[in-house]
Amino acid sequence: MLKKLQEFKTIIEQFDYTCNIIEKGELTPVDMLLVSLEDDSQAFAISILPLSEDLDGSFFVQFYYEYPFEISPNEYSQIGSNIIAVNRQLPLGNFNYTISNQQVYFKYVFALPIKANLEPANIADIVDMVVFAISNFGRFFESKNQE
C-alpha cells in the first residue's frame, strides 16, 4: 500500500500541499502520508487500510487528525453535544473524542476499488473538504473547550 500512498502524495503535492511519507516502524503502526496544514506546524495523516491483503476488491483510505489541545473530563458532555451538532453539518467525515488522551479528532474513510486509478480532481476535492473541516471546526471546539 506504500505505492498507493506515493500516488496520493504525487497528486496532493500538485495542489500546493506539503507531504511526507512516514513508513511503518516502531512509532507508527502503519505507513502514512502526512499532509501539512496551512501553517505547516500541523498535519493530518492519510493511511491505507486494510493492512493485509484480506479484501479482494477494495481498499480504504483514512484521513485522520487529532487536535493539539486537551479537553477537560468535566467538558466531555458538552464537547459530545457540540460534536453531534457539528457532525450533522459535515458533508464528509466526522468528529469524535478519545477519553484516553482527552483529544478531539477528525476522521474520514472512503473505499476505492483496488484497481481504481486515482483522479486528481476528485482527490483535490476530498483533501480540500478535509482541510476545511479540520481548520474551521477545530477553532470552534477549542473555543468551546476554553469557555
Side-chain angles (χ1 to χ4, degrees):
M1 295 296 173
L2 195 55
K3 182 180 174 185
K4 208 49 113 170
L5 280 179
Q6 184 60 50
E7 288 179 53
F8 274 94
K9 180 179 186 289
T10 300
I11 291 169
I12 294 169
E13 285 178 333
Q14 293 174 17
F15 299 100
D16 295 326
Y17 289 97
T18 302
C19 302
N20 186 26
I21 290 180
I22 307 295
E23 292 188 36
K24 179 181 175 178
E26 286 183 32
L27 299 176
T28 56
V30 298
D31 296 326
M32 64 179 83
L33 173 62
L34 297 180
V35 180
S36 294
L37 296 171
E38 290 176 8
D39 64 2
D40 285 337
S41 66
Q42 302 284 325
F44 63 89
I46 299 174
S47 54
I48 308 289
L49 307 168
L51 304 178
S52 64
E53 303 303 322
D54 290 342
L55 299 176
D56 296 329
S58 302
F59 68 94
F60 300 88
V61 181
Q62 176 178 270
F63 291 73
Y64 186 84
Y65 178 77
E66 276 188 359
Y67 288 93
F69 57 87
E70 289 185 0
I71 54 175
S72 163
N74 299 338
E75 300 298 321
Y76 289 163
S77 178
Q78 184 60 44
I79 288 288
S81 295
N82 290 333
I83 285 172
I84 290 168
V86 167
N87 282 344
R88 280 191 218 122
Q89 299 174 43
L90 288 176
L92 54 82
N94 68 285
F95 289 95
N96 208 337
Y97 67 93
T98 61
I99 292 174
S100 60
N101 63 359
Q102 299 176 314
Q103 288 184 293
V104 173
Y105 67 87
F106 174 83
K107 183 168 96 170
Y108 172 59
V109 180
F110 68 97
L112 286 172
I114 285 178
K115 296 180 181 176
N117 292 321
L118 300 178
E119 295 293 329
N122 176 248
I123 300 304
D125 289 344
I126 292 169
V127 169
D128 287 345
M129 292 300 292
V130 166
V131 169
F132 173 81
I134 290 170
S135 299
N136 290 295
F137 290 108
R139 289 185 208 109
F140 170 76
F141 290 125
E142 188 169 21
S143 69
K144 290 296 185 184
N145 190 47
Q146 294 173 351
E147 288 180 354

